[in-house]
Amino acid sequence: MAIPGLPTSLTLEIVTPDRALVAEQVDEVEVPGSRGYFGVLPGHAPLLASLQVGEFWYRKGQEKYYLAIAFGFVEVLPDKVTVLAQIAERAEDIDQRRAEQAKARAEERMGSRNPDIDFERARVAMMKSLIRLQVSSRARTHV
Ligand code: ATP
C-alpha cells in the first residue's frame, strides 16, 4: 500500500566515464557499497556512499537485472539513485571467456614470487573477474 507523500518508484541512472548505461524507473535496487551491500526502496533516506567491486541489481516488477560494477559513488535520494561508476557492465554484455582469462592471469600473478608483481593490482583484477563471472551467470534470471 502506498503511503501518501512517499515516492512509489525510483529513477535509476548508472553512468560510467564512457556512457550512460541505465536510465529507468525501477522498484528496488541493491548496491555494493564499500562498507557492504545495501538495498534501496522508494522513500529511502538520502545518502552518499562509495562503491566496491561487486554485483548490482535493480528490480522492475518481478524482474531483476544484474550488473557488475566497480569503484565510484552512489547518491541515494528518496525518489532517485544515481551511480557514477568507473566500470559497469550488464550481465548479458559480459564476455565470460575474457573474464576467465583475466582470472587465470590474476591467479598466476598472485601466486608468483616475482617481486615485480603488483599484488594489489592482481587482487583487484581477480575481484573484477570473479564478479564478472558471477554476474554473467545471472543473465536472464527472474525473481
Ligand atoms: P581484461 O584484463 O580482460 O582487459 P580488465 O579488468 O583489465 O579486464 P577493465 O580495465 O576493468 O578490464 O575494463 C576495460 C574495459 O573493458 C571496460 O569498458 C570494461 O567494461 C570492459 N570489460 C572488461 N572485461 C570485460 C568482460 N569480461 N566482458 C565485457 N566487458 C569487459
Side-chain angles (χ1 to χ4, degrees):
M1 193 185 70
I3 299 170
L6 271 191
T8 53
S9 72
L10 294 163
T11 302
L12 173 64
E13 290 189 3
I14 303 181
V15 179
T16 70
D18 305 337
R19 56 190 170 156
L21 190 59
V22 175
E24 294 196 47
Q25 286 299 117
V26 308
D27 296 307
E28 184 181 3
V29 309
E30 189 179 75
V31 181
S34 53
R35 297 164 86 182
Y37 281 77
F38 61 90
V40 179
L41 288 165
H44 197 287
L47 69 82
L48 193 59
S50 54
L51 302 169
Q52 59 165 312
V53 178
E55 177 179 278
F56 181 103
W57 59 252
Y58 63 91
R59 184 177 61 76
K60 288 176 76 160
Q62 292 299 302
E63 196 130 11
K64 270 186 181 175
Y65 301 84
Y66 291 84
L67 295 96
I69 64 170
F71 311 118
F73 296 93
V74 58
E75 181 193 46
V76 176
L77 297 172
D79 61 352
K80 185 167 187 186
V81 175
T82 308
V83 175
L84 304 175
Q86 193 188 319
I87 291 164
E89 294 141 13
R90 286 185 179 276
E92 54 274 21
D93 294 337
I94 291 173
D95 179 340
Q96 221 161 338
R97 210 172 113 78
R98 179 172 166 184
E100 291 281 8
Q101 287 169 348
K103 176 168 170 268
R105 273 197 310 277
E107 257 163 12
E108 194 189 317
R109 290 186 176 135
M110 287 172 78
S112 160
R113 289 168 177 271
N114 182 343
D116 293 338
I117 295 285
D118 181 340
F119 187 86
E120 181 55 19
R121 191 171 153 189
R123 194 186 66 80
V124 170
M126 171 68 86
M127 286 291 297
K128 286 197 287 189
S129 65
L130 290 174
I131 288 295
R132 282 177 174 133
L133 291 171
Q134 178 181 320
V135 170
S136 158
S137 76
R138 306 261 203 208
R140 291 183 301 279
T141 303
H142 299 263
V143 179

